[in-house]
Amino acid sequence: MFDSAELGHKVDKETYRQKEPILRQELLETQYQLLDRADFPVVILLGGVPTAGKGEMANLLMEWMDPRHIASHAFGPPNDEERSRPPMWRYWRTLPPKGKIAILFGGWYAGPMWEYLSGKRTLEFEREIERIARFEKMLADEGGLLLKFWLHLSGDVLKKRLKKLSADELTAWRVSDEDRWFSRHYEQIIDASRSMLMRTNQADAPWRVVEGEDAQFRALSVGEQILDAVKHHMARPSVRQMRVETAPLLPPVDGLRLLDTLPLDQNLERNDYKAQLEAMQGRLNLLTRHPRFQDMAVVVVFEGMDAAGKGGAIRRITAALDARQYRVVPIAAPTEEERAQPYLWRFWRHLPAKGRITVFDRSWYGRVLVERIEGFAPRADWMRAYGEINDFEAQLDDANTIVVKFWLAISKDEQLARFQSREQTEWKRFKITEEDWRNRDKWDDYITAASDMVDRTSTLRAPWHLIGANNKNHARIRILETLCDAIEARLGKKEKKR
Amino acid sequence: MFDSAELGHKVDKETYRQKEPILRQELLETQYQLLDRADFPVVILLGGVPTAGKGEMANLLMEWMDPRHIASHAFGPPNDEERSRPPMWRYWRTLPPKGKIAILFGGWYAGPMWEYLSGKRTLEFEREIERIARFEKMLADEGGLLLKFWLHLSGDVLKKRLKKLSADELTAWRVSDEDRWFSRHYEQIIDASRSMLMRTNQADAPWRVVEGEDAQFRALSVGEQILDAVKHHMARPSVRQMRVETAPLLPPVDGLRLLDTLPLDQNLERNDYKAQLEAMQGRLNLLTRHPRFQDMAVVVVFEGMDAAGKGGAIRRITAALDARQYRVVPIAAPTEEERAQPYLWRFWRHLPAKGRITVFDRSWYGRVLVERIEGFAPRADWMRAYGEINDFEAQLDDANTIVVKFWLAISKDEQLARFQSREQTEWKRFKITEEDWRNRDKWDDYITAASDMVDRTSTLRAPWHLIGANNKNHARIRILETLCDAIEARLGKKEKKR
């Protein structure tokens, strides 16, 4: 991986003087084309050996191109807001919108690398690497261009450089304790890096190792690779063109789908309901005031047909909570800023901090429900969403954010009755639209899509809870109970670990 | 202020049982109208005496209305990101978009109140109060509805309540050390609060003091006031209708405007330029590596006619900086999310943290330039912007963020020459559009507007620097020098303070 980058590559002054202005102008023009098309973002990740020129390279790129459309991000220790959410949250925040460029120092590799070096947590390191690979795959699938550079120096060259820099009063400040530490443990770090780079060398996002000793070689190498990659990416057939060929998911040959088999008509008498509601709300309230609740967070997801009772169920939950503690996020069409980002971006931004609860009224599952059925997302896009969603929810779970997902199931007759009743009640009319009737015509498609969804995303860590909801009272109690059980289980689990 | 709220107000159970369902339904319907019109946001601020029911009231409002369109925010000690920016930054982040509701606990009153009580910083308290009054005026001018409630208890009632709550094991957790402290210093705190409330009692946003002892009285009082206020706000004539009558700003009767009088043709030879450029960039770089630079931040603003050389000047600044340290923010038309917020919101979100630099390529001054000239903003709106902007910049300055503003001035002939040269250079063509030619036709309007702008926003703390820019070399050196001087002055000032 690094051998070719220890050969002593060099570009002489004359060649650089000839090539630099041409490269620079082409980069600038290409940047403006990118901005003009605004159909994909470019992420340039700079990693490598200290003093191999990461900072200089970033400065040069900002100088060559228009810095108004480039953002750069370095990552120190996570701040309060970042620490209170899954580790990848901070990186999602720095993703550039379509048409723009971001330069990330180290990026999502910094974390696992330090983890690996600071101890023997090999398993966690492995898992982080897997996670990174999947994250990068997602970026590529969303159309993004990710360019990963490793600026390299051999151990000897690094040692000499640090010595020289330290000797001169004017440059000594450039050498940090971290750099010296790196130099002392060079072999070990390079071994770990090699395995990390090799594991994350994907066709969509290969590592580009560049020898960092000669500034002119480095500059032209990185610059030309960026130019070439962006041009290639622009020339690709569009995502939609590329993906029509994926084979569809077929419904079971006998037509029997999971969601056809649910019992829907469980009963619960009004008096029993009242008593149980109060008991459950009290239980939920107490759980959220448990001291250890401050170390966890809760994401509640509601999906189901129109008029299945999502709103009413949500209000029975929130009524038990302190207003300071929760947020309800209704998911409708994405905003302009959200459309310029990968699909999951708009959910990442709403994740609860520790001690908080976010209730999603509809969710990321829209990808495999309405977007699948209406053809808003190409088939390959919603099909890969199953895996991406499972990965997303696993990250939440790892960060001690439990994910509690409800599918509220009603019969087609019950929906009709509720639609009609809404139309007859003055102040409920806002709740029923033309679109609801159109969706109803696609009832069967929704049952098929939702059955696939449950099959493919009901994981052990974030299972779907299928709630028969023809009787609202029954549904509400079951939902509260399930939520309480889930929180209680997590509070108990933490205790054992300690 | 508080006398009427110590009378022992009460609503009996029967009245409450009759009125509550009606109020609740009306609130819900009104909330949906608000959402549907989406032309103003509602901010409900809840302050008051401990145990007077702030939390309960918020919970009730979330229960009565649709919690999916209400966000609530409590404010503890500021976190890392908040501490690194002006104090109001955290409140700007919580403003709801048009059509939505936010409930803020204490909101922007919490800070100055504690400051006042914790010491004798009367002057700072006074200034904070002024700032709050202006902020609330801005919210109202932007069309927002701000409802400020103070839930009150007399000192005796508070004491009794705390005693009762503390005595019962099940409720003792509700009483915090802070509450006890409040109770012990009741008189003093109430005196300070009274003066604070009286000072911030504006026609657009009066305080509504509600006795908090009886839960039913409290609930109906707050609920009905909210309902009434939102309905009134909806019935108002639209902002545009109300404001056409403001008198215009007239140009000087002799026609001589500030920006007509600038020298534009200062010269600087290429060789001198090169030497000075390197010296200035070196100086800037050193300044940003000064240890005390980590305690300050820099906002640089560029305004000027099209082709005045903003982009080139920005690149000469950024070339001297580390890519990790700055961000260039080009200001174009606001996005959907930005349009749903007060005008300055989209600049607040880009403010640099300590140790960082943000360069705005065009800025909040668009309000009094292009928006004034094109009529995008009603006259009353851009006229009040002068004061709002001065206040905004003063807040930055207070937080040790210096604001360095450049107006790049070129002659009309010089602009023509640059436009023509751009059209003749292949890779510069992206820089010249139809709109640039249309703006050029309004040259005179721009000079008038920019002269007014400089007159009204060149404050001692954030003066305008008017740069003759027919000669690009000269302009770039002057800009770098001015920026260096400004940073140096602030670094020096901090030192003296210590």
Side-chain angles (χ1 to χ4, degrees):
Chain A
M1 197 82 215
F2 301 126
D3 300 335
S4 296
E6 298 185 358
L7 301 175
H9 290 284
K10 244 180 152 42
V11 164
D12 62 79
K13 234 178 179 172
E14 191 45 45
T15 312
Y16 188 75
R17 208 175 284 161
Q18 278 172 15
K19 288 195 165 174
E20 191 260 4
I22 302 166
L23 172 62
R24 175 178 191 156
Q25 180 171 327
E26 279 201 87
L27 275 171
L28 187 62
E29 282 173 46
T30 307
Q31 186 192 15
Y32 279 106
Q33 282 175 39
L34 175 71
L35 197 66
D36 194 45
R37 300 165 43 132
D39 54 357
F40 66 90
V42 176
V43 176
I44 299 170
L45 198 145
L46 294 177
V49 176
T51 76
K54 292 190 289 285
E56 290 88 336
M57 198 61 233
N59 293 346
L60 198 58
L61 289 172
M62 299 284 253
E63 207 181 311
W64 283 346
M65 293 186 277
D66 187 334
R68 294 177 302 177
H69 308 294
I70 308 178
S72 87
H73 304 273
F75 301 96
N79 66 28
D80 299 347
E81 294 198 20
E82 292 166 346
R83 254 193 310 276
S84 189
R85 293 184 176 80
M88 291 302 284
W89 188 74
R90 66 197 310 215
Y91 305 112
W92 276 89
R93 294 176 91 193
T94 63
L95 292 181
K98 289 172 185 166
K100 302 248 182 177
I101 299 173
I103 300 176
L104 309 186
F105 288 87
W108 37 87
Y109 287 91
M113 194 66 204
W114 287 115
E115 220 164 68
Y116 181 75
L117 294 170
S118 63
K120 281 178 205 110
R121 299 151 74 185
T122 320
L123 256 173
E124 290 192 26
F125 176 70
E126 295 276 318
R127 197 181 56 184
E128 284 294 319
I129 294 296
E130 285 303 323
R131 179 149 296 160
I132 285 174
R134 286 200 301 279
F135 175 71
E136 294 183 352
K137 179 85 174 56
M138 177 281 301
L139 270 188
D141 284 338
E142 292 278 342
L145 174 59
L146 171 62
L147 296 164
K148 303 186 290 192
F149 290 96
W150 177 274
L151 300 187
H152 192 70
L153 293 179
S154 71
D156 288 345
V157 174
L158 172 61
K159 222 166 265 163
K160 269 183 224 149
R161 287 207 160 193
L162 293 181
K163 209 170 163 185
K164 198 177 155 198
L165 287 168
S166 303
D168 187 340
E169 235 178 65
L170 280 172
T171 54
W173 62 272
R174 285 179 183 272
V175 181
S176 69
D177 288 347
E178 219 173 71
D179 296 345
R180 287 197 194 91
W181 188 85
F182 192 114
S183 183
R184 274 200 307 279
H185 300 81
Y186 183 89
E187 288 307 325
Q188 186 195 357
I189 297 174
I190 287 298
D191 284 348
S193 304
R194 185 182 294 113
S195 95
M196 185 167 76
L197 264 61
M198 287 181 158
R199 296 278 299 280
T200 53
N201 231 337
Q202 311 189 62
D204 281 327
W207 275 96
R208 298 153 193 274
V209 178
V210 173
E211 186 163 345
E213 191 171 2
D214 180 70
Q216 299 176 153
F217 172 79
R218 180 176 74 206
L220 290 188
S221 303
V222 173
E224 285 183 358
Q225 290 191 59
I226 291 175
L227 178 63
D228 183 68
V230 176
K231 279 184 165 174
H232 263 93
H233 211 75
M234 283 181 175
R236 292 191 327 170
S238 85
V239 173
R240 282 189 182 251
Q241 280 168 347
M242 281 168 64
R243 299 214 173 134
V244 283
E245 300 308 331
T246 324
L249 286 184
L250 296 179
V253 288
D254 64 353
L256 182 67
R257 296 161 304 185
L258 176 66
L259 292 185
D260 296 322
T261 65
L262 290 184
L264 305 178
D265 291 305
Q266 306 90 331
N267 195 24
L268 184 61
E269 293 305 328
R270 184 157 177 80
N271 279 343
D272 293 345
Y273 168 64
K274 284 206 159 177
Q276 291 183 31
L277 181 67
E278 202 166 315
M280 277 302 164
Q281 288 182 333
R283 184 179 161 210
L284 179 58
N285 183 272
L286 275 175
L287 285 169
T288 62
R289 289 198 273 106
H290 192 289
R292 274 200 309 280
F293 191 79
Q294 291 307 314
D295 300 328
M296 64 177 288
V298 181
V299 164
V300 187
V301 170
F302 278 91
E303 293 285 353
M305 298 295 192
D306 294 319
K310 295 187 289 294
I314 290 171
R315 288 154 67 96
R316 297 315 178 285
I317 292 174
T318 56
L321 303 174
D322 187 297
R324 283 161 278 207
Q325 202 171 23
Y326 68 87
R327 184 130 319 152
V328 183
V329 179
I331 297 300
T335 67
E336 193 180 326
E337 291 183 38
E338 290 169 344
R339 282 193 302 272
Q341 293 284 359
Y343 177 66
L344 285 171
W345 186 84
R346 63 190 178 118
F347 307 105
W348 274 95
R349 73 195 299 207
H350 290 299
L351 291 185
K354 294 279 152 70
R356 305 296 181 100
I357 299 168
T358 300
V359 181
F360 287 93
D361 183 356
R362 304 202 186 274
S363 68
W364 41 94
Y365 286 100
R367 191 71 157 186
V368 297
L369 295 171
V370 58
E371 293 194 39
R372 167 182 177 176
I373 289 161
E374 300 289 343
F376 297 155
R379 190 184 294 148
D381 283 349
W382 62 256
M383 281 181 63
R384 71 179 156 82
Y386 296 122
E388 288 171 6
I389 286 171
N390 288 340
D391 188 40
F392 171 51
E393 294 177 357
Q395 289 186 61
L396 292 173
D397 191 63
D398 284 342
N400 215 22
T401 296
I402 61 171
V403 182
V404 190
K405 305 184 291 195
F406 295 105
W407 173 266
L408 271 57
I410 52 171
S411 65
K412 204 171 173 185
D413 288 346
E414 178 65 24
Q415 187 191 50
L416 183 64
R418 291 188 187 177
F419 276 15
Q420 284 166 345
S421 132
R422 283 182 178 186
E423 288 194 322
Q424 279 149 23
T425 311
E426 174 70 46
W427 63 277
K428 278 188 175 170
R429 267 191 214 151
F430 67 85
K431 283 180 141 187
I432 181 100
T433 65
E434 275 302 303
E435 208 189 321
D436 294 330
W437 288 104
R438 276 198 304 276
N439 288 342
R440 182 172 162 79
D441 290 339
K442 297 182 177 164
W443 181 274
D444 211 52
D445 295 336
Y446 273 96
I447 295 294
T448 300
S451 296
D452 285 340
M453 171 187 83
V454 173
D455 278 341
R456 287 155 195 277
T457 59
S458 204
T459 57
L460 281 177
R461 313 169 99 190
W464 274 100
H465 302 282
L466 310 176
I467 309 284
N470 274 1
N471 181 306
K472 287 182 184 177
N473 294 345
H474 164 80
R476 289 168 185 171
I477 297 299
R478 286 283 300 127
I479 286 166
L480 278 164
E481 192 180 11
T482 308
L483 180 58
C484 288
D485 288 349
I487 297 173
E488 207 166 75
R490 183 57 60 106
L491 290 172
K493 200 183 276 178
K494 275 306 264 192
E495 197 155 38
K496 275 181 216 154
K497 268 194 189 168
R498 284 182 177 186
Chain B
M1 197 82 216
F2 301 126
D3 300 336
S4 298
E6 298 185 357
L7 302 175
H9 291 283
K10 245 181 148 43
V11 164
D12 63 80
K13 233 178 179 173
E14 191 46 45
T15 312
Y16 188 76
R17 207 176 282 162
Q18 279 171 13
K19 289 195 166 178
E20 191 261 3
I22 301 165
L23 172 62
R24 177 179 189 153
Q25 180 171 328
E26 278 202 87
L27 275 171
L28 187 63
E29 282 173 47
T30 307
Q31 185 192 17
Y32 279 105
Q33 280 173 40
L34 175 71
L35 197 66
D36 195 44
R37 299 165 44 131
D39 55 356
F40 66 89
V42 176
V43 177
I44 299 171
L45 200 145
L46 293 178
V49 176
T51 75
K54 292 190 287 290
E56 291 87 335
M57 198 61 232
N59 293 347
L60 198 57
L61 290 172
M62 298 284 252
E63 207 181 311
W64 281 345
M65 292 186 277
D66 186 335
R68 294 178 302 176
H69 308 294
I70 309 177
S72 87
H73 303 271
F75 301 96
N79 67 28
D80 300 346
E81 294 197 22
E82 292 166 348
R83 254 193 309 277
S84 189
R85 294 186 176 78
M88 291 301 286
W89 188 73
R90 65 197 312 214
Y91 305 113
W92 276 89
R93 292 176 92 191
T94 63
L95 292 181
K98 290 171 185 167
K100 302 247 181 175
I101 299 173
I103 300 176
L104 309 185
F105 288 87
W108 38 86
Y109 287 91
M113 195 65 204
W114 287 114
E115 221 164 68
Y116 181 75
L117 294 170
S118 64
K120 280 176 205 114
R121 299 152 76 184
T122 319
L123 255 173
E124 290 190 26
F125 176 70
E126 295 277 317
R127 197 182 55 184
E128 284 293 319
I129 294 296
E130 285 303 323
R131 179 147 297 159
I132 285 173
R134 286 201 301 280
F135 175 71
E136 293 182 352
K137 180 86 173 56
M138 178 282 300
L139 271 188
D141 284 337
E142 291 278 341
L145 174 59
L146 171 62
L147 296 163
K148 303 186 291 192
F149 290 95
W150 178 274
L151 301 187
H152 193 71
L153 294 179
S154 71
D156 288 345
V157 175
L158 172 62
K159 222 166 265 159
K160 269 183 227 150
R161 287 208 160 194
L162 292 182
K163 209 169 163 184
K164 197 176 158 204
L165 286 169
S166 304
D168 187 340
E169 236 178 65
L170 280 173
T171 54
W173 61 274
R174 284 178 183 272
V175 181
S176 68
D177 288 346
E178 218 173 72
D179 295 344
R180 290 197 192 90
W181 188 85
F182 192 115
S183 184
R184 274 200 308 279
H185 300 82
Y186 183 89
E187 289 307 326
Q188 184 193 359
I189 297 173
I190 288 297
D191 284 350
S193 303
R194 185 182 293 112
S195 97
M196 186 168 76
L197 264 61
M198 287 180 157
R199 297 278 300 280
T200 52
N201 232 337
Q202 311 189 63
D204 280 327
W207 276 97
R208 299 152 193 274
V209 178
V210 174
E211 186 164 345
E213 192 170 2
D214 180 70
Q216 297 175 159
F217 172 78
R218 180 176 75 206
L220 289 187
S221 304
V222 172
E224 284 183 359
Q225 290 190 59
I226 291 175
L227 179 64
D228 183 68
V230 176
K231 279 184 167 175
H232 263 93
H233 210 75
M234 283 182 177
R236 295 190 325 169
S238 84
V239 173
R240 284 189 180 252
Q241 281 168 349
M242 283 171 62
R243 297 214 175 135
V244 284
E245 301 306 332
T246 324
L249 287 185
L250 296 179
V253 288
D254 63 354
L256 182 66
R257 296 161 304 186
L258 176 66
L259 291 185
D260 295 323
T261 65
L262 290 185
L264 305 177
D265 290 307
Q266 305 90 330
N267 196 22
L268 185 61
E269 292 304 328
R270 183 156 177 80
N271 279 341
D272 292 347
Y273 167 65
K274 284 205 157 179
Q276 291 183 30
L277 181 67
E278 202 167 315
M280 277 303 165
Q281 288 183 332
R283 184 178 161 211
L284 178 58
N285 183 272
L286 275 174
L287 286 169
T288 60
R289 287 197 274 108
H290 192 290
R292 275 199 308 281
F293 191 79
Q294 292 307 315
D295 299 328
M296 64 178 288
V298 181
V299 164
V300 187
V301 170
F302 278 91
E303 292 285 354
M305 299 294 195
D306 294 320
K310 295 188 288 295
I314 290 171
R315 288 153 67 95
R316 296 317 179 284
I317 292 174
T318 56
L321 303 174
D322 187 299
R324 282 160 278 206
Q325 203 171 21
Y326 68 88
R327 183 130 320 155
V328 184
V329 180
I331 297 300
T335 66
E336 194 180 327
E337 291 183 36
E338 290 168 345
R339 283 193 302 273
Q341 293 285 358
Y343 177 67
L344 284 171
W345 186 83
R346 63 189 178 119
F347 307 105
W348 274 95
R349 72 195 298 210
H350 290 300
L351 291 185
K354 293 280 152 71
R356 304 297 181 100
I357 299 168
T358 300
V359 180
F360 286 93
D361 183 357
R362 302 200 188 276
S363 68
W364 41 95
Y365 286 100
R367 191 72 158 186
V368 296
L369 294 171
V370 57
E371 293 193 39
R372 167 182 178 178
I373 289 161
E374 300 290 343
F376 297 154
R379 192 184 292 147
D381 283 350
W382 62 257
M383 281 181 62
R384 71 180 155 84
Y386 296 122
E388 288 170 7
I389 287 172
N390 289 338
D391 187 41
F392 171 49
E393 295 177 357
Q395 288 187 61
L396 291 174
D397 192 63
D398 284 343
N400 215 21
T401 297
I402 61 171
V403 183
V404 189
K405 306 183 291 196
F406 296 105
W407 173 264
L408 271 57
I410 52 171
S411 65
K412 205 172 173 185
D413 289 346
E414 179 65 25
Q415 188 190 51
L416 184 63
R418 291 187 187 177
F419 276 15
Q420 285 166 346
S421 134
R422 284 182 177 185
E423 288 195 320
Q424 279 149 24
T425 311
E426 174 68 49
W427 63 277
K428 279 187 175 170
R429 272 195 208 144
F430 67 84
K431 282 179 140 187
I432 180 101
T433 64
E434 274 302 302
E435 207 188 324
D436 294 329
W437 288 104
R438 276 198 304 276
N439 288 341
R440 183 172 162 79
D441 290 340
K442 296 182 176 164
W443 181 275
D444 212 52
D445 294 337
Y446 273 96
I447 295 294
T448 299
S451 296
D452 284 340
M453 170 187 84
V454 173
D455 278 342
R456 287 156 196 276
T457 59
S458 205
T459 58
L460 281 177
R461 312 169 99 189
W464 274 101
H465 302 283
L466 310 175
I467 309 285
N470 275 0
N471 181 307
K472 287 182 184 176
N473 294 344
H474 164 80
R476 289 169 185 171
I477 298 298
R478 286 283 302 127
I479 286 166
L480 277 164
E481 194 180 9
T482 308
L483 180 58
C484 288
D485 288 350
I487 297 173
E488 208 167 76
R490 182 58 61 107
L491 290 172
K493 200 183 278 178
K494 275 305 262 191
E495 198 157 37
K496 272 179 219 153
K497 270 194 190 169
R498 286 184 174 184

